[in-house]
Amino acid sequence: MKKNILFIFFICSNIIFSQKVIDTISSKKLNEDREITIGLPASYDKHANQKYPVLILLDGDFLFDAFQGALSYGNYWDDLPEVIIVGITQNKNNERETDCALDENGLPTEKGEAFFEFVGLELLPYIEKKYRTAPFKMIAGLDTTAGFLNCYLYKDVPLFDAYISMSPKLPAGMEEQLPDRLAAIQKPIFYYHSSGDGDMKKMRNRILALDEVAKKINKPTLNYRFDDFKGTSHYSLVLNSIPSALYQIFSVYQPISTTEFNEKIAVLPSGYVDYLIQKYDVIEKSFALKLPIRLNDFKAIEAAILKNKAYPEFEKLSQLAKKNYPKSMLADYEMGQMYEKTGENAKAIKSYRMAFQREEIGDLTKEMMIGKADELKKL
């Protein structure tokens, strides 16, 4: 999957993301105008009430297309949600070095502090006022900018919800300080960082030292991941890191996979429909995305109910189907399965015949419903 993403995501970027805007924001903090690139999802104009997570890209000059392509590819397969991307131009006049200037204690210097405040107090409010943004905010960078973005974790209540730090150039002491912050922060945080066996040795040793401590943190509010890629250089590891980070952050968004079914659902003693409800509640609460439950996810819960012979749960699944697909035959079909499996054939026949009168959905057809009713009638 990951290799396919690397080959395809650049092609997809021009298909899924239909709006790419170059904008300029006048900054009082920096006392200058700064160029930003904004990528709006293809559905932005179509769904007037939809809000979208925001991804702030430091080094937007060269990271924008790579992230846009990965998100486009993942969204095509419904693995990743649509996101508003904001890339900050930092290489026109080598701004990245002054933007990300840190002192000997690993804290932003005067110019670095101005850029730090520009992102939090000017750029984000500008984007939130101009576009329909969800509360969920992410930030990403490479080496110098990756080290700098970690400074946002030093705030009592961190500004961002997810951090993508690719081969970070860590300032002095950060490999010791950052794990302490990750352990202390109360709000849910996604933290991703990466290196590779061909990475710059001085940077790599400190990144590995950071991981050695951070991976021992055990708390439900920290979603932590470190990737150490084989056969990659400092720059090529970026194309491995981007999809890995996005799939980590949005893992709950993805449809139920075979692994999720086998390891998390089928092993439950009961509560299969509750699991499905909670999955979509988490998506809505985490990313402000209210999605209809995918039909394939209904099928996964059906399979779990059948596997564990928890037939009464079909009634609750039917109620959920009626809420998500009110005009379809799905709700009556689920009730038909419950009655059929519990030996109430007359009620099952009635449910399948009612399903016959409703709209087909997925692989459920009118022919299938009448066939089931006729088969039970023979019995």
Side-chain angles (χ1 to χ4, degrees):
M1 170 66 83
K2 195 177 293 182
K3 289 183 178 179
N4 290 337
I5 292 173
L6 301 184
F7 284 114
I8 297 173
F9 66 26
F10 289 107
I11 298 171
C12 294
S13 63
N14 290 327
I15 300 172
I16 305 298
F17 280 79
S18 62
Q19 303 179 54
K20 183 176 178 181
V21 180
I22 307 297
D23 198 356
T24 301
I25 178 171
S26 182
S27 170
K28 292 181 180 179
K29 297 292 182 182
L30 296 170
N31 196 29
E32 62 186 19
D33 292 343
R34 292 302 292 265
E35 182 182 276
I36 57 175
T37 304
I38 301 165
L40 295 179
S43 72
Y44 188 84
D45 291 332
K46 183 180 178 182
H47 301 301
N49 297 319
Q50 179 64 59
K51 295 182 178 181
Y52 301 87
V54 176
L55 170 61
I56 300 293
L57 293 180
L58 308 182
D59 284 324
D61 317 65
F62 55 82
L63 289 181
F64 187 95
D65 287 340
F67 270 92
Q68 188 183 57
L71 283 161
S72 299
Y73 182 83
N75 183 255
Y76 181 86
W77 298 109
D78 200 23
D79 278 345
L80 299 175
E82 292 182 299
V83 170
I84 294 175
I85 306 176
V86 182
I88 306 173
T89 300
Q90 291 185 275
N91 284 282
K92 267 192 171 180
N93 300 298
N94 200 32
E95 298 97 335
R96 76 194 301 259
E97 297 300 327
T98 52
D99 285 346
C100 301
L102 303 172
D103 62 22
E104 65 276 6
N105 297 314
L107 298 175
T109 61
E110 185 176 345
K111 180 68 175 179
E113 185 175 357
F115 181 75
F116 182 91
E117 293 181 345
F118 159 71
V119 173
L121 299 179
E122 294 180 326
L123 178 59
L124 273 172
Y126 175 80
I127 297 299
E128 289 167 351
K129 184 177 180 180
K130 192 169 184 179
Y131 302 103
R132 299 190 308 275
T133 62
F136 192 80
K137 298 182 288 291
M138 302 166 280
I139 188 168
L142 172 68
D143 54 55
T144 298
T145 59
F148 182 83
L149 66 81
N150 289 315
C151 294
Y152 288 100
L153 287 162
Y154 290 166
K155 295 177 70 68
D156 290 338
V157 180
L159 180 61
F160 295 96
D161 304 283
Y163 299 76
I164 303 174
S165 178
M166 298 176 288
S167 185
K169 184 179 180 181
L170 299 172
M174 186 171 275
E175 64 266 44
E176 293 91 19
Q177 297 162 4
L178 194 55
D180 290 341
R181 285 300 304 141
L182 291 174
I185 293 168
Q186 296 301 308
K187 68 175 285 187
I189 290 290
F190 293 86
Y191 189 83
Y192 175 91
H193 65 140
S194 61
S195 183
D197 55 11
D199 206 351
M200 299 176 187
K201 189 173 181 180
K202 185 176 181 181
M203 293 168 55
R204 175 173 167 76
N205 289 339
R206 298 182 65 204
I207 294 168
L208 294 174
L210 168 60
D211 173 60
E212 195 60 34
V213 181
K215 68 184 180 183
K216 296 176 183 177
I217 301 171
N218 184 18
K219 55 186 297 191
T221 54
L222 176 63
N223 189 313
Y224 173 84
R225 181 181 175 92
F226 171 66
D227 279 328
D228 190 14
F229 297 106
K230 306 303 178 186
T232 60
S233 69
H234 175 68
Y235 297 106
S236 66
L237 68 84
V238 170
L239 295 183
N240 291 275
S241 300
I242 291 172
S244 183
L246 293 173
Y247 272 73
Q248 172 210 359
I249 293 167
F250 293 113
S251 60
V252 70
Y253 174 89
Q254 296 157 30
I256 294 172
S257 64
T258 302
T259 301
E260 184 178 3
F261 177 83
N262 290 330
E263 296 181 0
K264 295 184 178 181
I265 301 174
V267 294
L268 292 172
S270 62
Y272 310 104
V273 181
D274 288 339
Y275 179 96
L276 184 61
I277 293 170
Q278 288 166 12
K279 177 182 175 73
Y280 281 81
D281 281 347
V282 170
I283 293 173
E284 183 175 358
K285 289 175 183 175
S286 299
F287 310 122
L289 297 171
K290 191 168 181 62
L291 307 174
I293 295 176
R294 301 173 180 95
L295 186 58
N296 283 344
D297 288 350
F298 269 101
K299 303 299 287 183
I301 300 305
E302 284 178 25
I305 292 172
L306 292 170
K307 180 181 176 69
N308 293 282
K309 299 181 179 179
Y311 306 131
E313 288 210 25
F314 273 124
E315 185 171 5
K316 193 170 185 178
L317 192 62
S318 173
Q319 293 169 359
L320 201 59
K322 189 176 294 184
K323 181 179 178 181
N324 283 264
Y325 300 98
K327 295 182 179 180
S328 81
M329 58 177 59
L330 184 59
D332 291 310
Y333 169 72
E334 305 293 12
M335 289 302 295
Q337 287 199 93
M338 183 186 76
Y339 291 131
E340 181 179 353
K341 294 300 179 181
T342 54
E344 297 188 71
N345 288 356
K347 290 183 179 180
I349 291 168
K350 184 178 179 181
S351 292
Y352 289 136
R353 284 178 173 172
M354 289 179 67
F356 174 81
Q357 300 173 44
R358 301 188 183 276
E359 293 179 2
E360 296 182 343
I361 182 171
D363 61 352
L364 303 181
T365 65
K366 291 179 179 293
E367 183 180 0
M368 177 182 175
M369 296 305 116
I370 204 67
K372 281 183 165 291
D374 288 346
E375 189 66 31
L376 287 173
K377 191 175 180 181
K378 291 177 184 177
L379 294 175

